Amino acid sequence: MVAGWGGDGAAMGIGWGAHGFLAWEPCFERPGTRRIPRLRIVLGPGMMPWRMEPRVSTVTTDAMNTPLPGARPALGLLLTINLFNYIDRYVLAAVEPKIRETFFSEGDPSSLAKMGSLATAFIISYMVAAPVFGWLADRMPRWILVGVGVILWSLASGGSGLAGTFTILLITRLFVGIGEAGYGPAAPTIISDLYPVKDRGSVLAWFYMAIPVGSALGYVLGGAIASHFSWRVAFYAVVAPGLLLGVLCFLMPEPPRGTTDAAQGPHRKARIADYLVLLRIKSYLLDCAGMTAMTFAIGGISYWMPHYIAEYRKAGSLAAVNTIFGAITVVAGLSATLLGGIVGDKLRGRFPGSYFLVSGVGILLACPFVLLMLRLPFPAAWAAIFLAVFCLFFNTGPSNTILANVTHPSFRATAFALNIFLIHALGDAASPPLLGAIVGGNNRWDAAFYVVAAVMAVAGVLWLWGARYLEEDTRLAPMRLGERGFEVMMQTTE
């Protein structure tokens, strides 16, 4: 065994055999910078057992606690893109009855299932392409991928309006999904590299508030345009703004990866062995499972709710239902998304698993309101729908913050892409046609919504289970990119 001591900035080390090297790095401090003491164990064949490695970790405290320059313009652009993204998605749901009248005869028993396949086609292409674009986003400038993706889905959306047959419409929705896959995995990782961990829940909540707002605008604009013109014009409306937003992406600077996380380890691209680490992160796995169940529920509700209220419950015309449901989604979804992110950040100091707790409690509270909607007459049922939507969106910011906080920046885009694949493959790719099949020709709407409520309860249980693992997984995230063999770093607390 060999022991040694280095000078200022060098390591004190103890080495043994051919198995590895153990080093203790001393702690120094100077204004604006911390040198973090750490125990470092390097194991692997061919390494010198007595090698002294001068390895000083300097972490700029400002970078760990304040946003990077250009953070707000980047967030604003990505938020706007996400807004038009969801407008496009939910225009389809708003004009679904009009499209059905165009391509299917009245009384066709399979028309609902076939219309549900339009949503499934989008989701399948989105989830299959997402891992490819996630892998690319870990290796090339992400703004380029975002710009190309936004331009592609904008053109494909315009193509949906031009479709002369149901088959062509189905193909255009496939290309919309591919375009959105270029954007989906990269966007939250750009935001994560611009904002520190302590603010990430609130910031990502602002980004994801585009989901309820964009969804509502999709319902309202889609229904209004279809009523005054045609369902085809509703798809044309997003083309020009999307093309402009895509071009703006090419002008944005690429943020450095991992600065706001104080990421440790070598600056290199992630390898396959690094990606396998995801399968051992309990917080990541349980969050993905909970988000899958939630996505199943929200995908089914958002697609079929206008049809259920207007055509089965006879609560008003389709245009009126789209307007009211859209307004509910804006107010309840927007307030819940922002509040959920803020509450998750505020509770983080008292409850290390706060993001899981906020997500789990929120969706469990949504279950009884979904069931109550089935029993209340309209207009009273609108109140139950409002509360269900509010509770359902409360998890949006916290659940996505978990994904960002427990993964290393070098493969964070792939982690988001894998999440996209899982939640859509097992979630809303299946729910619209499955619920449509359950309803069938006998209008078994109660049975369909019972399934939705049960799946939401499963999501709540999975998220509450994950709370115990979040603190440790967040602490280890910046250190998960290993060197040769195996490297363990342990940071001391001050």
Side-chain angles (χ1 to χ4, degrees):
M1 177 181 292
V2 180
W5 174 267
D8 180 24
M12 178 179 71
I14 302 174
W16 65 92
H19 298 292
F21 170 74
L22 173 119
W24 173 263
E25 299 174 0
C27 174
F28 302 92
E29 294 193 10
R30 57 177 179 266
T33 304
R34 290 189 302 165
R35 292 189 180 188
I36 302 174
R38 65 179 72 250
L39 176 66
R40 184 166 184 268
I41 304 171
V42 180
L43 302 174
M47 300 185 67
M48 297 296 291
W50 51 83
R51 180 179 176 185
M52 301 298 168
E53 296 191 50
R55 186 178 177 82
V56 179
S57 174
T58 57
V59 179
T60 304
T61 55
D62 287 345
M64 295 174 62
N65 292 288
T66 60
L68 297 186
R72 286 188 177 181
L75 176 61
L77 178 56
L78 291 173
L79 191 158
T80 307
I81 291 171
N82 211 25
L83 183 69
F84 279 93
N85 169 17
Y86 279 89
I87 288 174
D88 174 71
R89 287 196 196 186
Y90 287 92
V91 161
L92 176 62
V95 301
E96 178 271 330
K98 302 291 185 182
I99 297 175
R100 183 157 30 97
E101 291 175 4
T102 301
F103 294 116
F104 299 101
S105 60
E106 186 177 355
D108 185 341
S110 65
S111 62
L112 289 179
K114 289 178 180 178
M115 287 301 300
S117 69
L118 290 176
T120 302
F122 161 80
I123 293 300
I124 288 176
S125 63
Y126 180 42
M127 71 184 191
V128 170
V132 177
F133 284 104
W135 185 86
L136 290 173
D138 285 330
R139 287 162 171 77
M140 64 177 290
R142 290 163 288 184
W143 279 113
I144 293 178
L145 286 177
V146 172
V148 170
V150 171
I151 290 173
L152 177 58
W153 67 250
S154 299
L155 294 174
S157 182
S160 297
L162 296 172
T165 67
F166 182 79
T167 301
I168 293 176
L169 179 61
L170 190 69
I171 293 172
T172 63
R173 303 314 293 176
L174 288 171
F175 278 98
V176 170
I178 294 172
E180 290 196 19
Y183 158 78
T189 71
I190 294 174
I191 295 172
S192 298
D193 283 335
L194 290 169
Y195 286 90
V197 173
K198 69 182 184 69
D199 299 326
R200 205 170 279 164
S202 300
V203 173
L204 284 174
W206 276 97
F207 170 70
Y208 285 110
M209 80 172 187
I211 296 178
V213 176
S215 303
L217 288 175
Y219 281 120
V220 174
L221 294 176
I225 293 173
S227 297
H228 289 84
F229 301 99
S230 74
W231 64 265
R232 298 180 184 277
V233 178
F235 288 107
Y236 303 152
V238 299
V239 177
L243 294 177
L244 176 60
L245 293 169
V247 171
L248 290 176
C249 292
F250 299 140
L251 306 177
M252 298 297 292
E254 182 74 10
R257 299 174 193 259
T259 302
T260 54
D261 296 84
Q264 308 293 335
H267 298 287
R268 64 166 173 81
K269 297 174 182 177
R271 298 190 288 253
I272 293 178
D274 299 312
Y275 295 127
L276 295 178
V277 171
L278 292 173
L279 302 179
R280 300 196 297 271
I281 304 174
K282 293 183 177 67
S283 295
Y284 179 81
L285 296 177
L286 288 169
D287 192 35
C288 286
M291 291 179 74
T292 299
M294 181 272 296
T295 304
F296 179 97
I298 202 170
I301 288 175
S302 61
Y303 192 83
W304 291 118
M305 188 64 78
H307 178 94
Y308 167 74
I309 297 172
E311 299 192 16
Y312 179 67
R313 296 292 298 270
K314 307 296 183 183
S317 67
L318 182 62
V321 168
N322 279 329
T323 300
I324 297 172
F325 188 59
I328 286 175
T329 305
V330 167
V331 177
L334 174 59
S335 58
T337 299
L338 295 178
L339 187 60
I342 293 171
V343 171
D345 281 348
K346 294 294 184 183
L347 293 180
R348 186 168 174 262
R350 296 181 58 189
F351 304 101
S354 63
Y355 297 128
F356 271 120
L357 294 175
V358 169
S359 300
V361 171
I363 200 166
L364 287 175
L365 290 175
C367 296
F369 294 118
V370 171
L371 300 178
L372 188 60
M373 173 198 71
L374 302 175
R375 297 290 172 258
L376 289 176
F378 281 90
W382 285 117
I385 293 173
F386 180 94
L387 293 172
V389 171
F390 180 89
C391 295
L392 191 57
F393 275 101
F394 208 73
N395 69 79
T396 307
S399 61
N400 283 281
T401 302
I402 294 168
L403 298 179
N405 287 356
V406 302
T407 53
H408 192 280
S410 292
F411 52 83
R412 185 173 286 152
T414 297
F416 270 91
L418 179 59
N419 170 263
I420 289 171
F421 178 84
L422 292 174
I423 67 175
H424 292 303
L426 304 176
D428 54 1
S431 59
L434 177 60
L435 295 179
I438 292 174
V439 173
N442 296 321
N443 289 322
R444 294 185 293 268
W445 286 103
D446 283 6
F449 282 108
Y450 290 153
V451 171
V452 168
V455 174
M456 289 164 59
V458 171
V461 172
L462 290 168
W463 275 327
L464 292 179
W465 183 12
R468 68 181 68 183
Y469 304 112
L470 184 57
E471 181 179 24
E472 181 71 4
D473 287 338
T474 300
R475 186 183 68 83
L476 293 176
M479 299 176 274
R480 293 193 186 277
L481 196 68
E483 295 186 29
R484 295 171 298 172
F486 175 67
E487 181 181 87
V488 178
M489 296 182 178
M490 298 177 62
Q491 296 187 8
T492 63
T493 56
E494 298 182 6

